[in-house]
Amino acid sequence: MQTVSQMTLQELAMMQVNKKLIMQGISWDFYEQLLKDFEDSNALHFAFDDGILEVEVPQFEHESANRVLQNLVTTICIEKEIDFVNAGSTTFRKR
């Protein structure tokens, strides 16, 4: 049997019912290191807020709904002549 210390973040996140792993008490420096370690990978998405780290494995259902919403907002902006920038899955770093 595999122990938690031997499992990768992706394996831990995949085990979760909703495909998310939420950890508390995480430092900003640890979060920054994760972003660096996974900068060339789309396998995991990270969200960090005040010591809480959410690790998500992107699923078809999420990405499909994301694209529908993106297209809707884009169409509204074009029709209403609202300037916008499509930034996709952008990582913002603000401690």
Side-chain angles (χ1 to χ4, degrees):
M1 180 173 208
Q2 198 171 30
T3 65
V4 172
S5 62
Q6 295 172 325
M7 299 178 79
T8 66
L9 281 175
Q10 186 169 358
E11 290 169 333
L12 285 169
M14 288 295 291
M15 289 175 54
Q16 304 305 310
V17 173
N18 61 359
K19 305 299 184 207
K20 291 183 183 180
L21 173 66
I22 299 174
M23 297 181 280
Q24 297 180 344
I26 303 300
S27 71
W28 178 261
D29 292 333
F30 181 80
Y31 171 63
E32 288 270 289
Q33 185 61 49
L34 279 177
L35 293 178
K36 183 178 176 185
D37 291 345
F38 288 90
E39 67 186 346
D40 294 327
S41 172
N42 290 327
L44 298 173
H45 289 183
F46 301 101
F48 181 84
D49 184 35
D50 196 26
I52 299 173
L53 175 68
E54 180 180 294
V55 183
E56 180 180 12
V57 177
Q59 299 292 308
F60 174 80
E61 295 82 10
H62 173 262
E63 291 301 311
S64 178
N66 184 12
R67 297 300 172 240
V68 169
L69 183 58
Q70 174 188 344
N71 290 337
L72 175 64
V73 171
T74 298
T75 301
I76 290 171
C77 288
I78 290 170
E79 290 295 318
K80 298 285 186 178
E81 297 181 0
I82 299 171
D83 291 334
F84 69 99
V85 175
N86 182 352
S89 297
T90 302
T91 299
F92 294 97
R93 289 190 172 118
K94 182 177 178 185
R95 192 179 288 248

